[in-house]
């Protein structure tokens, strides 16, 4: 019997995802702090993290997506649009 694979759907994050973003970020933050304790703190203030993500939702230069399996938020991705000077890559 094959394992049942759930489809992952990536969609723009919304206010209703804020609690999940805070939860998922706590996991990521802990992993980063374990790997690089001189750079990352192990625990963050959930209210401050929620405010941070709310700011990303309100930003025109930030892109925040969530990965969903059914009704469960299983991941997120954050990118920031940056204006760069002309270079060999642009």
């Amino acid at each position: 019997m094959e394992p049942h694979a759930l489809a992952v759907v990536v969609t723009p994050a919304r206010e209703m995802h804020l609690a999940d973003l805070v939860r998922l970020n706590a996991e990521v933050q802990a992993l980063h702090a374990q790997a690089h304790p001189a750079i990352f703190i192990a625990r963050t203030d959930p209210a401050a993290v929620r405010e941070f993500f709310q700011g990303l939702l309100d930003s025109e230069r930030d892109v925040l997506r969530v990965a969903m399996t059914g009704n469960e938020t299983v991941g997120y991705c954050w990118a920031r649009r940056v204006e760069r000077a002309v270079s060999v890559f642009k």
Side-chain angles (χ1 to χ4, degrees), residues 28-42:
V28 172
Q29 188 71 22
L31 291 171
H32 281 101
Q34 184 178 16
H36 304 284
I39 301 171
F40 296 96
I41 58 175

Side-chain angles (χ1 to χ4, degrees), residues 48-65:
V49 173
R50 183 182 176 93
E51 185 177 323
F52 173 81
F53 280 117
Q54 180 66 61
L56 296 181
L57 291 178
D58 297 337
S59 171
E60 291 189 20
R61 68 180 179 159
D62 293 291
V63 177
L64 187 59
R65 300 288 187 259

Side-chain angles (χ1 to χ4, degrees), residues 16-90:
M16 65 189 221
H17 299 115
L18 285 172
D20 292 333
L21 290 164
V22 172
R23 174 184 54 81
L24 290 167
N25 180 264
E27 294 179 37
V28 172
Q29 188 71 22
L31 291 171
H32 281 101
Q34 184 178 16
H36 304 284
I39 301 171
F40 296 96
I41 58 175
R43 293 192 175 182
T44 54
D45 173 27
V49 173
R50 183 182 176 93
E51 185 177 323
F52 173 81
F53 280 117
Q54 180 66 61
L56 296 181
L57 291 178
D58 297 337
S59 171
E60 291 189 20
R61 68 180 179 159
D62 293 291
V63 177
L64 187 59
R65 300 288 187 259
V66 290
M68 307 291 297
T69 55
N71 291 326
E72 182 181 4
T73 307
V74 295
Y76 71 91
C77 178
W78 166 40
R80 176 166 282 169
R81 294 183 185 107
V82 178
E83 293 290 329
R84 299 203 185 271
V86 174
S87 72
V88 295
F89 300 109
K90 181 177 178 185

